[in-house]
Amino acid sequence: MTEPVSLLNRVKQQHQYIHQSRPMVSGRLVRVVGLTLEAVGCSAAIGQACLVDSARGQIMAEVVGFAQERVFLMPQDDIDGVVPGARVTPLLQHKGVPLSMALLGRVIDGVGQPLDGKGPITATHYATGKGKPINPLHRRPIKQPLDVGIRSINAILTVGKGQRMGLFAGSGVGKSVLLGMMTRGTAADVIVVGLVGERGREVKEFIDEILGEEGKKRSVVVAAPADVSPLMRLKGCETAVQVAEYFRDQGLDVLLLIDSITRYAQAQREIALAVGEPPATKGYPPSVFAKLPALVERAGNGSGNQGSITAFYTVLSEGDDLQDPIADASRAILDGHIVLSRSLADAGHFPAIDIEKSISRVMPAVTSEQHQLMARSIKQLYASYQQSKDLIAIGAYVRGSDPQLDLAINMLPRINTFLQQGMKEIVQYDECLTLLSQLAPQPKRAN
């Protein structure tokens, strides 16, 4: 039994030696369309890094496709200065993303290079590819709640360690502020924030004002703003997950915040369409809907002595349309969703969480039956009022017609006060349960 294994190892070592020692053949650039570079004469694998000569120095690019002898590359940087026939040199070895505890408190770009001016990052090793998926049968089940410091989530939409949640919202309704509140109030050991496709101003504000000095000490921020290439935006999201996986492998509980997974999907759409993949649903090619679950499934509980990754992915609902293809696909592969309402935000209700449309699918596994009954009673009262608020507003509802609605009308001011929270206010999980028990009417147990 040992001979075939040793023989296989020798074959693998020989193949690796041949791969590393083979001559590096440079190609030349023959076509540039948009951000897509086409080269001939070089043999490079999908995902391999290449250097492209230009009048301003060398540009890093990555192979994203090929057609017969032509290789399609997507640059990481601006392509100004690229000339016809420029040399394209494949890199046989590439360091990858630096991983170590020294990442805490740092801000890096989509390929792991520091953006904060604090010098190079000391790495124990480098991530040179996607992390291996964990066998779903080896993952620990979600059994413990995670304190995120937000009253409405802790009490009504309880999140478990290792859960993957979607944060659905349009623009300007407080997504970034809500993520910042989580970073300051969470009980997780490490926070990894991926700011993908956001405005550069928002990146600076999130780090300095929303995250704050205390939040930065146990956080890693991966920034790939809107003005970088689609490849860097794609890598920014994947690098954030790689960093979270590293800390999970150290036995730590990680809170992963990706803002936003929609920008990740749009970056993949730009790359896929540029290399000729046909569009499908509303212009999104099929590869987008294959990459989304592959990214999401890397979060969650680990196995053995590994920690956990509890992930929140913001999903931009264009025009507040929750049936957008990315929103619809994300909702199907996540363990719950939190919907931010524009009407609540316009009314000054922050965080603008619509508890009627939101749900945490693992809440029954991490909370007591009493907690679930109290949370359900609050949601029922809130929903009763929302469904009849037009009748109430015009005075068409007569008190006494519906005891449930009468109770909802009386309790709505207290419920709204409970659901609202200041940006810098942190409410611990146990305190949330105490406040919920004081607010909720005595639940009736089912026979």
Side-chain angles (χ1 to χ4, degrees):
M1 293 296 292
T2 58
E3 182 61 26
V5 175
S6 61
L7 178 62
L8 179 62
N9 288 337
R10 286 200 300 272
V11 171
K12 285 183 176 179
Q13 291 171 1
Q14 184 179 10
H15 176 74
Q16 184 179 11
Y17 172 77
I18 293 173
H19 174 73
Q20 291 179 350
S21 61
R22 71 183 183 185
M24 192 164 48
V25 180
S26 297
R28 61 187 178 86
L29 205 62
V30 295
R31 190 166 184 252
V32 177
V33 179
L35 291 178
T36 308
L37 311 179
E38 296 183 20
V40 296
C42 59
S43 178
I46 296 292
Q48 187 171 355
C50 298
L51 290 177
V52 181
D53 290 351
S54 75
R56 300 185 179 184
Q58 291 184 314
I59 297 172
M60 185 75 75
E62 182 176 304
V63 178
V64 294
F66 59 85
Q68 296 180 349
E69 299 300 321
R70 295 201 174 201
V71 175
F72 301 141
L73 303 105
M74 187 65 63
Q76 293 183 6
D77 307 310
D78 194 1
I79 59 174
D80 287 350
V82 172
V83 297
R87 184 173 61 180
V88 179
T89 307
L91 296 179
L92 294 182
Q93 293 182 346
H94 188 55
K95 273 189 174 182
V97 179
L99 298 176
S100 72
M101 298 302 289
L103 279 169
L104 292 175
R106 301 301 300 270
V107 182
I108 60 177
D109 65 8
V111 292
Q113 297 300 312
L115 293 175
D116 50 14
K118 296 181 180 179
I121 298 170
T122 304
T124 56
H125 67 281
Y126 293 86
T128 55
K130 297 179 181 178
K132 294 182 179 179
I134 299 176
N135 187 324
L137 298 181
H138 295 168
R139 288 184 185 268
R140 295 189 309 277
I142 300 174
K143 293 295 184 183
Q144 296 179 329
L146 178 71
D147 184 1
V148 295
I150 298 174
R151 192 161 44 231
S152 54
I153 297 179
N154 281 346
I156 310 296
L157 306 165
T158 310
V159 175
K161 288 183 180 179
Q163 184 174 358
R164 288 79 58 95
M165 289 285 284
L167 194 60
F168 292 73
S171 57
V173 295
K175 296 186 306 297
S176 299
V177 173
L178 184 60
L179 295 181
M181 293 171 67
M182 291 183 191
T183 60
R184 289 190 298 270
T186 183
D189 302 314
V190 175
I191 301 135
V192 179
V193 183
L195 300 176
V196 179
E198 296 297 318
R199 294 182 288 272
R201 175 187 60 80
E202 286 189 341
V203 173
K204 176 71 171 175
E205 286 181 359
F206 186 91
I207 294 169
D208 292 344
E209 300 177 16
I210 298 178
L211 197 57
E213 287 300 324
E214 289 300 317
K216 282 194 288 188
K217 290 179 182 178
R218 55 172 177 159
S219 301
V220 182
V221 178
V222 181
D227 59 342
V228 300
S229 71
L231 180 64
M232 288 294 283
R233 278 178 269 140
L234 197 72
K235 283 189 168 294
C237 204
E238 294 174 352
T239 295
V241 177
Q242 282 181 325
V243 172
E245 287 174 328
Y246 167 77
F247 287 109
R248 179 190 62 191
D249 293 344
Q250 310 308 307
L252 302 174
D253 291 325
V254 182
L255 178 65
L256 172 64
L257 307 174
I258 299 293
D259 186 15
S260 67
I261 199 173
T262 304
R263 305 297 189 201
Y264 173 80
Q266 290 173 347
Q268 173 60 21
R269 176 175 64 179
E270 292 178 43
I271 294 173
L273 293 179
V275 298
E277 187 177 351
T281 309
K282 290 192 176 179
Y284 287 98
S287 62
V288 171
F289 302 101
K291 274 186 169 290
L292 285 177
L295 183 80
V296 169
E297 284 298 320
R298 291 168 63 184
N301 281 337
S303 60
N305 295 324
Q306 292 180 328
S308 65
I309 301 176
T310 307
F312 283 83
Y313 305 92
T314 65
V315 183
L316 296 176
S317 305
E318 298 181 5
D320 296 331
D321 179 17
L322 295 180
Q323 304 306 317
D324 175 83
I326 301 304
D328 194 47
S330 300
R331 188 165 46 245
I333 58 178
L334 293 169
D335 302 324
H337 51 272
I338 295 173
V339 178
L340 299 187
S341 166
R342 186 173 300 278
S343 61
L344 288 176
D346 292 343
H349 184 292
F350 290 103
I353 298 175
D354 188 339
I355 62 172
E356 182 183 8
K357 296 179 180 178
S358 305
I359 190 171
S360 172
R361 292 176 182 162
V362 305
M363 184 175 176
V366 299
T367 56
S368 65
E369 183 182 358
Q370 183 74 6
H371 182 177
Q372 296 169 42
L373 290 171
M374 291 189 297
R376 194 179 307 147
S377 66
I378 296 300
K379 290 191 71 172
Q380 288 172 346
L381 290 173
Y382 185 84
S384 295
Y385 182 86
Q386 294 301 319
Q387 292 166 6
S388 304
K389 65 180 181 180
D390 292 337
L391 292 176
I392 298 170
I394 63 175
Y397 174 71
V398 178
R399 282 184 176 267
S401 304
D402 185 348
Q404 174 84 354
L405 184 54
D406 291 341
L407 181 60
I409 294 172
N410 293 333
M411 290 193 61
L412 185 69
R414 294 176 57 201
I415 293 175
N416 283 335
T417 301
F418 177 83
L419 297 177
Q420 294 181 63
Q421 187 172 331
M423 188 177 75
K424 296 185 178 180
E425 182 184 358
I426 297 173
V427 186
Q428 302 299 331
Y429 183 78
D430 292 338
E431 185 182 352
C432 292
L433 294 189
T434 301
L435 294 173
L436 178 63
S437 63
Q438 295 172 357
L439 173 67
Q442 187 66 30
K444 295 180 181 180
R445 292 182 180 272
N447 294 330

